[in-house]
Amino acid sequence: MDFTSNFIVQLINGIALGSTYALIALGYTMVYGIIMLINFAHGEIYMVGAFVGLALVTIFKVHIIIAFLGAMLFCMLMAVSIEIIAYRPLRRSKRLAALISAIGISIILSNLVNLLVGPKPQTFPSIEKILFEIKSFDLIAGAQINTLQILLIIVSAILMIGLQYIVKRTKVGKAMRATSQDYDTAALMGINVNRIISYTFAIGSALAGAGGVLVGIYFGVVKYNMGMLPGMKAFTAAVLGGIGSIPGAMFGGIILGVIEMMTVAIGFSSYRDAIAFGILILVLLIKPTGLFGKQIFKKV
Amino acid sequence: MIKSRKIFWVLSILLILSLTLVGCGGQKEEPAPKEEVKKEAKAPAALKIGFLGDLTGDTAMYGQNTLDGMKMAVEDINAAGGVLGSNFEIVEADHRYDKAEAANIVQKFVNSDKVIAVIGDPTTGITKATAPIINQGSVVQISAGATGPGVVEIGPFIFRNTLLDTVGGPTTMDYLVNELGWKKVALITAVNNDFSVGLSKIFKEGILNNGGEVVIEESVQDGDTDFSGQVSNIKKSGAEVIVFSGYYTEGGLIMKEVRKQGMNEIIMVGGDGLQAPTFWELGGSAVEGSVSYAGFSPEQPTPEVEKFIERFKAKYGKAPDLFHAQGYDAVMLVAEAIKNANSADPKVFKDALAKIQDYPGVSGNTSFDANREPIKSPVYLLQVKDGNWSLLKKVPVKK
Amino acid sequence: MTLLNGLLPPYIESIAITVGIYIIMALGLNLITGVTGQLSLGHAAYMSIGAYASAVVSLQLGMPFIFALLAGGIAAGFFGLIIGYPTLRLTGDYLAIATLGFGEIVKSLLFNMPIVGGAMGLAGIPFKSTLTVTLIVVIIVIWMMVRVERSRFGRALLAIREDDIAAECYGINTSLYKVKMFVLGTFIAGIGGALWAHKIMVLQPRDFGFMKSIEILNMVVLGGLGSIPGTVLGAIVLTSIPEVLRFSSDYRMLLYGALLVIMMRFRPNGLLGGVDVTKLVKKSIKSITGSNFADKEKKKVKGGN
């Protein structure tokens, strides 16, 4: 009994953590799917989103939901401008050039926030004062889930379903899928490729911004270097799920979160990263395109 | 052929450019000593103190705070007319937590800037990487924060101003097991933080020596924000108290997670790494009742400490933390040693520094023992009450 | 032997040694990422293996530095073989993420290994990487790289980078070549790590994080993928820039980031990329001699310093 209850608790912990990875991973996977770029600055966009949310709540005293939307909007605009300044001129160059440009942007963003806010971790106002009280609910076998975890999981789920709707049911989504399948043909078919790429960046970054605010609420802290590690984990999650695949990124994120928590649960908390990445490498060796990725045959 | 000529031109231009860039970096430093010599003939030049720390990397928080503390100390010294008629001046350098850069910086400090003392680094690792160079250059180094083993052994110029783990750790564990009566302990270590790893060893020994039991050991990492898995394990283990050896950021967040998971009674006991307002800013009501040790007590402050806290708040608009206080004291100790030795030559005042006894610093009453290790006596056990530290117990330390 | 040591001001000498070590690291990565086109994001892991192995040889066995250097290289090369053999089947960015994962695993294991001090690391490593020693190793590594590039092996590697399927069709055993070059690249990273250990004198797992791998990658890409003089230049520029920018400690890293973006914006193929090797090879085999000619000139320029 004790074992099942602990298992369920850790599973919930893992899903909650995994949801945050998934929200960031979606941005990686969308951008990668469309222009084959590992957007290293994406983790920092998530960080900036958290800070914008914090500033809106504490300085401008707006409601948390407006802050949430504000952070999403800000990240959208920022990512679109970054794309135009730093990536668009490099689209026809070697892919690594854009990668280095992305690394440069990432360094600029984290140092800019460090300069403006300082290296001290900033406290995100407690959710109890803004929205509702934290309560715990009993699940089966004595396991508990709290309202924060429910909030995190539900909001992530809503965002992901919304994304799925945009990609599968709207015209923009159709154009995105076409562009990611074949860039040149899509352009020939009259799709404004530049605009579609901007949309992709905007949507992916809005999700990252949302993730930043959610994580701020969930953990209660935002820091200038908070984008680095989750960014790396989220990218890993995207690859685990099969980079370029949207459901892949969602499940990849959640699977990674659950693996980490299970490692902690069995008492190997100090090997958390080693085991998570070890499993990643194993998955890649067995299924080189990730869990949900399609095999792409290269033409000569 | 045209192409290779093009390569040649681009190559040589860029090589020359990069070399001049490096050269500029060097040249800019070199004329400085000459000017100094000229100045010395007229009025005494400012005494330079090098700040070695991280301002942009992962440990930027500690570096930035040390620097703020140092700046205030230098202001105070200069306002009082300086030392031996000379003002103090801080030479800053950021190493972004990179040992290779730190090594370059101290070469610059010692050989180009001609500093008389280097304050830093707050971490043991970088202190150990830079100390051999500083010692060889006959400049005094005071690390405000390095608590690990093997620091002052590097040479006679190397000091540290910090409360040693071996002093505070056992005292706290004795109190925890024998006076608070908690026998079942959950021990959390930040595995990527050498301070935490070292302190955990001492904590564990202390718990076992006093007849306590470590029912569960968990690891976290500095920089983590998610501790739900570890806390769930602790909840299951039936521990009566959480002992955490890391820093305040993770400490505050761990306690928050503890309360979130419905453990409303358990408290955290930790080292002086918890000594910062950030601890309760992040943890809020969750850290109420938490215990840690320190070299000073905000509740029964010495006049020096009280004045320091007041003026610090006026200047920076926030309460000082451990690194602010240690950075402040490190500069003050250098000034004190120079005064005592009546010389600003590191070769001379290092001996005076080693002889300092019962200096009433803001980070504690400081003495240096025969091995140049700092002793802060008494040690205070403090508890968080209403978002501040309140005094629990005062323990004198044998010298 | 010790002719060069002490000739420069100590601050400059210290920077010069650091530059030398980064040149070695970057040349090793250039072989993997630049010449053969396999993106590796875990180069610092091999550096750390070399550094720790050499430190153990120096501290525990007290052997001469040359053995420590070789031990570092061999240890890193050995892990390069173990990791490279299975993972090099992966293509493109999957390989990148596998190498990134390996880097994190190595760091995590080092944190948990009491023999090498865990988070506290190893201290008291003797200072051996003088300017002379570093320079000699740099010259040997550059010479090796030039030899590799000129050989049949090097031509096969370039063919793999340009199009590995076509290369396979021409009878090149791509996996074998990829593994061979990966082992050589990691061996060189290990040598670089050994030099690092004997310059910094203290090792901690934290020193070899993901950002260190990225820094080395920046040097290779900024200099010009696949170009030996380019990589050397990239390492020189990117190691000295943080020192040059030291006058503004607040804006230093900000400027560093901006510089990466601007340089890529105006020279997307790297400082020396596109000027030589890359473009020329595409056209004809003849041009390889041309690029090697450039290397000779490069050496002359270097000799002049």
Side-chain angles (χ1 to χ4, degrees):
Chain A
M1 277 313 269
D2 193 41
F3 175 79
T4 22
S5 109
N6 191 46
F7 176 79
I8 292 167
V9 167
Q10 299 288 17
L11 189 67
I12 293 166
N13 291 340
I15 293 172
L17 177 66
S19 313
T20 67
Y21 291 161
L23 280 179
I24 314 171
L26 284 168
Y28 274 113
T29 224
M30 289 171 71
V31 167
Y32 188 90
I34 211 155
I35 54 170
M36 300 285 277
L37 163 72
I38 303 173
N39 183 10
F40 257 98
H42 194 65
E44 313 306 333
I45 290 174
Y46 148 86
M47 178 268 296
V48 171
F51 271 100
V52 171
L54 176 71
L56 287 175
V57 171
T58 54
I59 301 171
F60 299 100
K61 309 274 184 213
V62 301
H63 192 270
I64 184 74
I65 292 171
I66 298 169
F68 190 77
L69 297 174
M72 285 173 82
L73 186 71
F74 188 90
C75 287
M76 267 183 179
L77 297 176
M78 188 175 74
V80 171
S81 346
I82 288 173
E83 195 267 326
I84 290 170
I85 296 166
Y87 306 151
R88 187 165 293 178
L90 298 174
R91 204 173 290 156
R92 292 285 172 194
S93 321
K94 278 218 170 69
R95 284 174 46 213
L96 276 176
L99 181 76
I100 301 297
S101 196
I103 292 169
I105 294 285
S106 151
I107 294 173
I108 292 175
L109 287 179
S110 67
N111 279 285
L112 200 64
V113 173
N114 183 7
L115 266 181
L116 292 175
V117 190
K120 203 180 102 173
Q122 303 292 317
T123 316
F124 211 96
S126 172
I127 187 78
E128 298 174 40
K129 287 172 198 147
I130 318 173
L131 225 53
F132 52 76
E133 291 218 344
I134 302 174
K135 279 188 207 134
S136 288
F137 300 103
D138 281 326
L139 294 170
I140 29 167
Q144 286 186 322
I145 185 167
N146 62 46
T147 33
L148 265 184
Q149 288 172 322
I150 298 174
L151 175 84
L152 183 65
I153 295 169
I154 289 181
V155 176
S156 310
I158 292 172
L159 288 170
M160 286 183 220
I161 292 166
L163 173 71
Q164 201 61 333
Y165 176 79
I166 293 175
V167 173
K168 294 280 180 202
R169 301 266 178 236
T170 63
K171 220 170 173 186
V172 173
K174 208 174 190 179
M176 272 179 194
R177 281 181 289 145
T179 313
S180 79
Q181 268 176 11
D182 195 326
Y183 184 93
D184 294 314
T185 316
L188 286 175
M189 294 296 134
I191 292 172
N192 186 341
V193 176
N194 277 340
R195 190 186 294 163
I196 291 305
I197 290 173
S198 289
Y199 278 134
T200 310
F201 269 89
I203 295 173
S205 305
L207 290 174
V213 179
L214 273 180
V215 163
I217 296 171
Y218 185 64
F219 297 122
V221 63
V222 291
K223 278 183 296 190
Y224 75 103
N225 60 355
M226 69 185 272
M228 178 79 204
L229 198 65
M232 205 166 88
K233 291 266 177 74
F235 175 42
T236 306
V239 174
L240 188 67
I243 194 149
S245 148
I246 288 174
M250 295 180 198
F251 286 102
I254 287 169
I255 289 168
L256 191 67
V258 171
I259 289 173
E260 276 190 36
M261 281 307 155
M262 291 303 155
T263 314
V264 175
I266 55 172
F268 288 105
S269 47
S270 61
Y271 292 94
R272 184 172 171 169
D273 289 351
I275 291 177
F277 284 109
I279 288 176
L280 169 86
I281 293 179
L282 278 182
V283 168
L284 285 184
L285 289 180
I286 297 163
K287 203 166 177 318
T289 50
L291 295 172
F292 290 78
K294 290 189 196 96
Q295 181 73 46
I296 301 161
F297 292 100
K298 264 175 92 180
K299 288 173 209 144
V300 181
Chain B
M1 274 319 284
I2 296 168
K3 266 177 190 132
S4 57
R5 196 176 291 162
K6 205 169 145 195
I7 301 167
F8 175 78
W9 279 113
V10 174
L11 203 78
S12 22
I13 290 168
L14 284 168
L15 257 176
I16 291 164
L17 203 73
S18 70
L19 282 170
T20 37
L21 280 176
V22 180
C24 286
Q27 272 171 8
K28 219 173 58 208
E29 322 304 339
E30 276 171 54
K34 282 179 203 157
E35 282 168 27
E36 225 173 89
V37 175
K38 274 182 204 162
K39 266 188 208 161
E40 249 170 70
K42 294 169 194 165
L47 299 170
K48 287 184 182 168
I49 309 271
F51 158 75
L52 175 70
D54 180 1
L55 298 174
T56 53
D58 279 340
T59 57
M61 222 184 321
Y62 319 125
Q64 194 91 57
N65 291 358
T66 309
L67 180 60
D68 283 349
M70 285 172 66
K71 277 183 181 161
M72 204 169 110
V74 167
E75 253 175 45
D76 287 359
I77 289 169
N78 293 349
V83 180
L84 305 183
S86 310
N87 277 351
F88 270 20
E89 183 193 323
I90 296 176
V91 189
E92 299 176 24
D94 159 45
H95 58 58
R96 66 191 171 100
Y97 204 65
D98 183 300
K99 292 201 176 69
E101 269 200 35
N104 293 341
I105 287 167
V106 292
Q107 289 285 8
K108 173 175 165 287
F109 279 166
V110 171
N111 298 298
S112 307
D113 296 330
K114 309 276 179 203
V115 300
I116 56 159
V118 176
I119 310 262
D121 183 272
T123 64
T124 308
I126 290 196
T127 304
K128 275 163 131 179
T130 51
I133 302 167
I134 297 172
N135 191 60
Q136 206 187 9
S138 299
V139 169
V140 164
Q141 178 177 29
I142 303 184
S143 164
T147 55
V151 173
V152 298
E153 289 87 336
I154 290 169
F157 287 88
I158 311 305
F159 293 81
R160 53 178 162 188
N161 171 44
T162 170
L163 182 57
L164 293 184
D165 302 348
T166 43
V167 177
T171 316
T172 315
M173 289 305 112
D174 178 30
Y175 183 80
L176 172 88
V177 178
N178 295 326
E179 296 194 30
L180 296 174
W182 285 316
K183 307 276 184 217
K184 289 182 176 172
V185 179
L187 180 63
I188 309 181
T189 311
V191 272
N192 60 349
N193 175 343
D194 47 3
F195 163 72
S196 176
V197 172
L199 184 55
S200 270
K201 248 183 232 162
I202 291 161
F203 275 165
K204 197 174 173 184
E205 256 171 45
I207 295 163
L208 299 178
N209 287 345
N210 286 301
E213 184 196 352
V214 177
V215 291
I216 184 165
E217 281 189 63
E218 283 292 334
S219 309
V220 299
Q221 291 195 19
D222 267 13
D224 276 0
T225 44
D226 184 288
F227 305 104
S228 55
Q230 288 92 335
V231 171
S232 296
N233 283 349
I234 290 170
K235 190 178 178 185
K236 193 184 64 165
S237 73
E240 294 167 320
V241 61
I242 294 172
V243 171
F244 175 57
S245 55
Y247 283 132
Y248 40 80
T249 311
E250 288 73 27
L253 292 175
I254 289 172
M255 282 318 287
K256 214 169 170 182
E257 181 66 33
V258 165
R259 296 288 180 264
K260 222 193 271 173
Q261 295 202 11
M263 287 180 275
N264 295 323
E265 301 301 321
I266 200 163
I267 63 150
M268 173 177 277
V269 176
D272 56 350
L274 299 181
Q275 289 288 339
T278 314
F279 185 48
W280 52 77
E281 281 167 22
L282 289 176
S285 59
V287 300
E288 282 290 310
S290 294
V291 175
S292 96
Y293 61 79
F296 61 96
S297 159
E299 199 179 50
Q300 289 180 7
T302 57
E304 288 84 5
V305 173
E306 201 171 2
K307 225 172 80 189
F308 171 71
I309 294 176
E310 258 172 41
R311 290 201 352 277
F312 191 91
K313 277 184 181 161
K315 183 168 158 68
Y316 293 106
K318 59 183 179 188
D321 74 5
L322 178 76
F323 291 98
H324 291 126
Q326 285 177 351
Y328 182 88
D329 272 356
V331 177
M332 287 303 189
L333 282 167
V334 170
E336 179 78 8
I338 292 176
K339 267 183 234 159
N340 292 350
N342 198 23
S343 162
D345 182 357
K347 284 179 196 134
V348 181
F349 78 76
K350 74 163 201 302
D351 298 324
L353 185 57
K355 282 189 198 122
I356 285 179
Q357 294 294 319
D358 286 320
Y359 173 78
V362 295
S363 64
N365 203 14
T366 311
S367 310
F368 287 102
D369 73 3
N371 302 321
R372 281 173 294 107
E373 287 284 24
I375 305 281
K376 289 189 196 282
S377 176
V379 169
Y380 297 89
L381 286 177
L382 305 170
Q383 183 165 38
V384 180
K385 209 177 258 173
D386 303 324
N388 210 338
W389 294 107
S390 68
L391 183 62
L392 212 56
K393 200 186 174 194
K394 198 165 152 182
V395 191
V397 179
K398 281 171 236 141
K399 278 181 199 169
Chain C
M1 271 299 277
T2 55
L3 205 65
L4 276 165
N5 302 337
L7 212 63
L8 296 165
Y11 173 44
I12 305 296
E13 185 174 331
S14 179
I15 296 174
I17 298 170
T18 318
V19 168
I21 293 172
Y22 276 114
I23 290 177
I24 294 165
M25 302 294 311
L27 282 171
L29 184 64
N30 180 46
L31 199 60
I32 299 170
T33 302
V35 180
T36 332
Q38 311 295 312
L39 178 57
S40 165
L41 296 177
H43 208 56
Y46 300 100
M47 181 185 179
S48 71
I49 292 170
Y52 271 91
S54 73
V56 168
V57 167
S58 277
L59 288 172
Q60 304 289 332
L61 310 175
M63 282 159 95
F65 183 47
I66 180 80
F67 290 105
L69 262 185
L70 288 174
I74 291 166
F78 175 71
F79 277 93
L81 181 68
I82 291 181
I83 296 304
Y85 187 71
T87 54
L88 282 166
R89 291 191 297 120
L90 300 170
T91 50
D93 298 321
Y94 292 101
L95 177 74
I97 207 74
T99 50
L100 183 156
F102 176 68
E104 289 305 300
I105 292 173
V106 169
K107 200 174 78 174
S108 183
L109 293 180
L110 286 174
F111 272 128
N112 287 293
M113 269 162 64
I115 323 161
V116 292
M120 297 193 206
L122 291 173
I125 305 160
F127 179 81
K128 297 281 184 190
S129 308
T130 57
L131 188 56
T132 319
V133 169
T134 313
L135 205 66
I136 290 170
V137 180
V138 168
I139 290 168
I140 293 173
V141 170
I142 292 180
W143 176 76
M144 262 166 71
M145 291 293 111
V146 174
R147 287 303 296 259
V148 167
E149 198 180 65
R150 279 188 201 173
S151 65
R152 189 169 181 277
F153 184 65
R155 291 196 295 274
L157 292 179
L158 286 173
I160 293 172
R161 180 185 68 183
E162 292 310 318
D163 194 331
D164 56 350
I165 296 174
E168 192 121 35
C169 293
Y170 279 101
I172 296 170
N173 184 346
T174 53
S175 339
L176 182 72
Y177 276 109
K178 280 184 195 171
V179 173
K180 271 188 186 169
M181 104 5 250
F182 198 76
V183 172
L184 184 58
T186 51
F187 173 81
I188 292 167
I191 299 271
L195 283 170
W196 166 280
H198 291 80
K199 159 137 199 333
I200 307 297
M201 301 180 274
V202 174
L203 291 180
Q204 286 179 302
R206 248 183 145 152
D207 305 338
F208 306 100
F210 176 59
M211 274 321 279
K212 186 68 81 198
S213 300
I214 292 296
E215 266 171 48
I216 301 165
L217 181 67
N218 286 346
M219 291 168 188
V220 176
V221 180
L222 192 91
L225 277 174
S227 149
I228 296 170
T231 304
V232 171
L233 183 69
I236 294 173
V237 170
L238 285 188
T239 315
S240 34
I241 273 178
E243 294 298 330
V244 174
L245 296 177
R246 204 164 276 301
F247 60 87
S248 70
S249 68
D250 283 349
Y251 300 98
R252 196 169 68 108
M253 292 317 289
L254 210 61
L255 292 172
Y256 177 88
L259 210 76
L260 286 183
V261 177
I262 294 166
M263 282 201 190
M264 281 298 117
R265 171 74 181 77
F266 294 104
R267 287 211 62 81
N269 288 322
L271 293 174
L272 296 185
V275 183
D276 56 12
V277 199
T278 325
K279 253 187 189 170
L280 301 183
V281 164
K282 273 183 187 168
K283 288 185 178 170
S284 68
I285 297 173
K286 258 188 186 176
S287 55
I288 287 181
T289 32
S291 75
N292 286 333
F293 184 63
D295 292 334
K296 270 183 205 156
E297 279 180 324
K298 160 77 192 166
K299 270 192 199 157
K300 272 184 212 157
V301 176
K302 259 193 81 66
N305 295 324

